[in-house]
């Protein structure tokens, strides 16, 4: 069976990487230690705080993606982000449309040199490159994701348009005025200093060029006196490796302080017929891998494989 042509959401072939530790994460104890260090950054009793997460952002984000990348691909796909969804639209179609929309809004076309900030394994980069024929450089500070991304670029014949560079997005090793456009998809939310990251992006853009992206934010409906709101906010931060969720007003103010003129902004969460979180909260046969049932089954199946097929050394 060719798993690359599957109809199911996610990538079943990544189960091998999860169970056999293809990504060389080490022993079970190594993985447990990484997990404990990551969780401690959110535990105030162990010295965890917003300041600690911001000061250790590179370590935190690398720990998060070392742990999560294979599971993301297995249960979600190669594009590590959400998208609003319309009636009769499939999950994967909504993800692709979300990416094409970004390329369209930035007016990308053949001959443009573009930077993808925090590109993951390159799912959005490959989709946008196919759609626009622009040359895109994916910036990532996680070595394992870059290794995966390069392999995927080769498999789909896009290495001539898509490439990677390993770097800290707060200190990008390119000259001023290098790119025709820069975008990010749920990536700059990891930055310890929003003004700092936006100034770095502004520096990299040619005069008059556009920066666009999709950002995790908390809306005007958030109430920090509501325990349930606080619980959900913290859950999103822990579940996505974020130092702290910010308001839309704060993000816009930081962009302006960095030198940007705001051309367009919108909350897309309510623009679809099906909410962005629906794949995690609902049940479907094609999307079973990222449902509660699917996550439970994945965990139990991995435990079985560890005991019977892939013992730890």
């Amino acid at each position: 069976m060719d798993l690359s042509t599957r109809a199911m959401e996610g990538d079943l072939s990544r189960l091998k990487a999860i169970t056999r530790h293809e990504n060389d994460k080490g022993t079970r104890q190594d993985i447990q230690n990484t997990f404990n260090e990551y969780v401690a950054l959110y535990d105030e009793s162990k010295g965890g705080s917003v300041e600690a997460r911001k000061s250790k952002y590179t370590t935190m984000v690398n720990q998060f993606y070392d742990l999560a990348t294979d599971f993301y691909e297995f249960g979600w796909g190669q594009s590590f982000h959400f998208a609003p969804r319309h009636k009769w639209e499939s999950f994967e179609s909504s993800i692709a449309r979300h990416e094409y929309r970004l390329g369209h809004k930035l007016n990308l076309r053949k001959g443009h040199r573009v930077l993808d900030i925090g590109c993951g394994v390159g799912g959005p980069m490959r989709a946008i490159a196919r759609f626009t024929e622009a040359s895109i450089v994916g910036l990532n500070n996680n070595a394992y994701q870059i290794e995966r991304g390069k392999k995927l670029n080769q498999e789909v014949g896009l290495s001539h348009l898509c490439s990677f560079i390993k770097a800290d997005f707060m200190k990008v090793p390119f000259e001023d005025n290098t790119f025709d456009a820069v975008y990010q998809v749920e990536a700059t939310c990891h930055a310890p200093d929003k003004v700092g990251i936006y100034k770095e992006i502004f520096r990299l853009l040619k005069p008059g060029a556009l920066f666009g992206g999709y950002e995790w934010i908390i809306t005007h409906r958030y109430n920090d006196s509501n325990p349930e709101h606080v619980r959900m906010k913290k859950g999103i931060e822990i579940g996505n490796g974020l130092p702290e969720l910010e308001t839309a007003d704060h993000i816009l103010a930081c962009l302006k302080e960095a030198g940007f003129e705001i051309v367009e902004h919108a909350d897309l969460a309510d623009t679809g017929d099906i909410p962005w979180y629906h794949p995690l909260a609902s049940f479907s046969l094609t999307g079973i891998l990222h449902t509660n049932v699917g996550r439970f089954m994945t965990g139990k199946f991995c435990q079985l494989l560890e005991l019977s097929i892939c013992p730890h050394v």
Side-chain angles (χ1 to χ4, degrees):
M1 177 182 178
D2 182 0
L3 295 176
S4 67
T5 62
R6 80 233 175 273
M8 183 176 288
E9 296 153 19
D11 183 352
L12 292 174
S13 69
R14 298 315 296 155
L15 186 61
K16 181 181 178 182
I18 294 170
T19 55
R20 294 186 181 277
H21 303 282
E22 268 185 358
N23 49 0
D24 195 28
K25 292 172 187 169
T27 66
R28 176 180 295 179
Q29 189 58 53
D30 292 332
I31 296 170
Q32 186 64 52
N33 290 342
T34 299
F35 176 78
N36 291 342
E37 290 173 8
Y38 173 77
V39 173
L41 289 169
Y42 293 88
D43 188 343
E44 293 182 2
S45 69
K46 297 179 180 179
S49 65
V50 173
E51 291 72 24
R53 294 193 290 274
K54 287 183 176 181
S55 67
K56 299 178 180 179
Y57 73 96
T58 53
T59 299
M60 182 181 72
V61 173
N62 269 304
Q63 287 177 334
F64 175 77
Y65 283 114
D66 282 345
L67 292 167
T69 293
D70 289 323
F71 286 98
Y72 270 17
E73 283 196 72
F74 172 67
W76 199 261
Q78 296 170 16
S79 296
F80 302 165
H81 64 83
F82 294 96
R85 189 168 156 193
H86 299 298
K87 189 175 182 180
W88 306 119
E89 184 178 40
S90 71
F91 166 79
E92 290 182 329
S93 293
S94 71
I95 292 291
R97 174 180 49 76
H98 205 51
E99 295 163 355
Y100 297 155
R101 177 183 183 274
L102 189 55
H104 172 68
K105 289 288 185 179
L106 292 173
N107 299 316
L108 302 186
R109 60 182 183 273
K110 188 174 184 178
H112 278 176
R113 191 181 188 200
V114 182
L115 182 66
D116 179 338
I117 295 282
C119 61
V121 297
M125 173 172 62
R126 285 184 290 276
I128 293 172
R130 283 194 193 97
F131 180 66
T132 67
E133 297 186 86
S135 297
I136 305 177
V137 179
L139 186 145
N140 195 327
N141 206 24
N142 184 273
Y144 178 61
Q145 288 194 338
I146 291 176
E147 175 191 340
R148 281 287 303 147
K150 287 181 177 179
K151 181 179 179 181
L152 292 167
N153 286 351
Q154 292 173 350
E155 287 180 358
V156 298
L158 283 173
S159 295
H160 65 296
L161 289 179
C162 300
S163 61
F164 289 88
I165 182 170
K166 187 178 186 302
D168 180 351
F169 60 14
M170 301 297 292
K171 303 171 185 176
V172 181
F174 285 109
E175 298 294 328
D176 296 358
N177 309 323
T178 295
F179 294 98
D180 297 292
V182 176
Y183 69 83
Q184 64 86 22
V185 181
E186 299 176 14
T188 55
C189 48
H190 293 288
D193 174 9
K194 294 298 190 297
V195 175
I197 181 67
Y198 296 145
K199 281 185 175 180
E200 185 69 352
I201 292 168
F202 189 85
R203 177 185 71 78
L204 295 166
L205 285 166
K206 294 178 181 178
L210 295 174
F211 164 57
Y214 299 123
E215 189 71 289
W216 272 103
I217 62 164
I218 49 178
T219 73
H220 65 279
R221 287 174 279 190
Y222 177 75
N223 180 359
D224 60 10
S225 298
N226 185 321
E228 182 63 9
H229 287 193
V230 173
R231 183 192 68 80
M232 288 191 292
K233 176 177 178 287
K234 185 173 182 180
I236 290 171
E237 290 167 348
I238 296 175
N240 292 277
L242 309 181
E244 183 179 26
L245 282 171
E246 309 279 8
T247 66
D249 288 343
H250 178 76
I251 297 298
L252 293 173
C254 290
L255 284 164
K256 291 176 182 177
E257 185 175 342
F260 284 102
E261 173 189 350
I262 308 300
V263 176
E264 179 183 339
H265 70 91
D267 182 355
L268 300 182
D270 296 326
T271 61
D273 303 307
I274 302 171
W276 59 269
Y277 54 82
H278 184 265
L280 298 174
S282 63
F283 178 82
S284 71
L285 291 177
T286 58
I288 190 173
L289 296 179
H290 47 63
T291 64
N292 287 331
V293 173
R295 293 193 293 273
F296 175 81
M297 291 170 59
T298 298
K300 293 303 180 183
F301 188 53
C302 286
Q303 289 175 8
L304 176 63
L305 288 175
E306 286 176 356
L307 291 172
S308 60
I309 300 175
C310 311
H312 288 270
V313 294

